[in-house]
Amino acid sequence: MAILVLGGAGYIGSHTVYELIDAGRDVVVADNLQTGFKAAVHPKAKFYQLDIRDRGALDTLFQAEDIEGVIHFAASSQVGESMSDPLKYYDNNLHGTMVLLQAMVAHGVDKIVFSSTAAAYGEPERVPILESDTTCPTNCYGQTKLAMEQMMSWVSKAHGLKYVALRYFNACGAHVSGEIGEAHDPETHLIPIILQVPNGQREAVSVFGDDYPTKDGTCIRDYIHVTDLAQAHILALDYLMKGGDNNIFNLGNGVGFTVQEVIDVARSVTGHPIPARIAPRRAGDPAQLIASSEKAMKVLGWQPKYNDLPTIVASAWAWHKSHPHGFEEV
Ligand code: UDP
């Protein structure tokens, strides 16, 4: 029996595949390689290049492989892009998940762990955020992820599918082996963008807004190492395998850092002055997102290992320094 990882060539997906294979699991990866990289797929995983909106391709895969559970990362994930091209998000995220669930129901595969997001909450009513807090997304990306959660809930009632939604806060860092790390094209995430400056690929960092109601006016986020996120997927899958019911878990460190503080940490990790310029706010950004992950710790036994920002940024820096062009060969 194998675990199917959809989007297993992407950032969090590829790190999860590495952890699954290290744990001795059989893994099948499917990815359309639109944003993922074949080189990020663990050599021991079986690979299918397919788009989850392609029902025929999914049918072929489910017929050929003995799949006991699915981990679903295959989605578009950029806040800014979701505001300028919302229909792309409805198509790839919602329509894609609908086709996937149709195929899972048809083939009797009834367990799924999937990437949700802190963006499902919108501007939080309090921090740290609990899973039971109000969900009112401020961007289309978060809206589609919340709708994916709701879709699974209805499919569960009708067809008995069991799901765990993992609401990630800000994924960052890179695998300890140095073989895989964060690579998006174009890059939009804060830590890799900051590290482009000491890597000689960018003059300065733009800080999107310094007039938020936070201690230094810049947005606060909760940064969590990708390997800790990856571990949570394995725990969530095991929880479902042992008969656990549908559930939603936040995954973060429970500590918030401002954009300015992240830049300061990167300056000290890299020894580079990293110039920063204040720029306008980015559409759809809540002022602060900090997780309470106590539920994941209690129910899943999740214990994040990389809980300090300098260590996380240092792991990202090791990857970016050795792979200035990500997985692309130049
Ligand atoms: N950010 C920034 N400059 C950049 C990229 C991001 O100031 O070049 C800010 C962004 O507005 C947000 C935080 O950094 O407040 C984290 O953004 P990211 O895109 O990494 O993750 P998100 O929180 O959107 O998932």
Side-chain angles (χ1 to χ4, degrees), residues 56-285:
L58 283 177
D59 283 340
T60 305
L61 187 155
F62 280 118
Q63 273 153 15
E65 307 292 341
D66 197 6
I67 301 298
E68 58 179 332
V70 173
I71 307 184
H72 175 27
F73 298 96
S76 301
S77 65
Q78 292 172 21
V79 168
E81 182 191 55
S82 79
M83 300 300 279
S84 56
D85 192 1
L87 293 175
K88 174 175 175 182
Y89 282 68
Y90 277 87
D91 183 20
N92 198 22
N93 296 3
L94 263 184
H95 173 219
T97 299
M98 181 195 80
V99 177
L100 168 65
L101 294 181
Q102 285 171 336
M104 286 178 66
V105 169
H107 293 274
V109 178
D110 63 357
K111 292 177 187 60
I112 181 165
V113 173
F114 86 103
S115 317
S116 188
T117 172
Y121 295 107
E123 199 64 69
E125 51 192 352
R126 59 173 166 183
V127 289
I129 304 169
L130 294 174
E131 289 83 351
S132 51
D133 286 352
T134 306
T135 46
C136 187
T138 53
N139 54 64
C140 181
Y141 164 61
Q143 181 65 60
T144 56
K145 287 281 177 158
L146 184 60
M148 285 159 69
E149 291 186 7
Q150 291 161 341
M151 191 190 299
M152 298 210 191
S153 168
W154 292 111
V155 174
S156 176
K157 288 186 215 309
H159 301 288
L161 173 108
K162 294 290 178 202
Y163 71 93
V164 167
L166 299 175
R167 290 184 180 157
Y168 315 146
F169 283 63
N170 287 64
C172 48
H175 194 258
V176 65
S177 67
E179 283 168 28
I180 52 171
E182 185 164 10
H184 299 107
D185 187 17
E187 189 53 75
T188 64
H189 294 106
L190 181 63
I191 292 176
I193 292 233
I194 292 173
L195 295 176
Q196 285 175 349
V197 181
N199 240 359
Q201 296 163 315
R202 177 185 290 272
E203 293 282 304
V205 183
S206 296
V207 175
F208 297 150
D210 68 346
D211 56 351
Y212 286 96
T214 61
K215 55 184 161 181
D216 61 19
T218 66
C219 287
I220 294 178
R221 294 288 181 272
D222 179 338
Y223 294 88
I224 178 78
H225 196 279
V226 64
T227 299
D228 285 328
L229 289 182
Q231 285 296 342
H233 291 77
I234 300 180
L235 293 169
L237 199 63
D238 289 345
Y239 159 89
L240 289 178
M241 300 288 181
K242 284 185 216 139
D245 206 352
N246 299 334
N247 225 326
I248 297 173
F249 298 101
N250 286 340
L251 299 176
N253 267 317
V255 184
F257 291 90
T258 66
V259 172
Q260 202 53 65
E261 287 172 333
V262 178
I263 296 170
D264 285 340
V265 167
R267 285 176 179 145
S268 102
V269 165
T270 62
H272 188 284
I274 312 184
R277 297 183 191 129
I278 306 304
R281 286 183 176 200
R282 187 176 67 177
D285 267 343

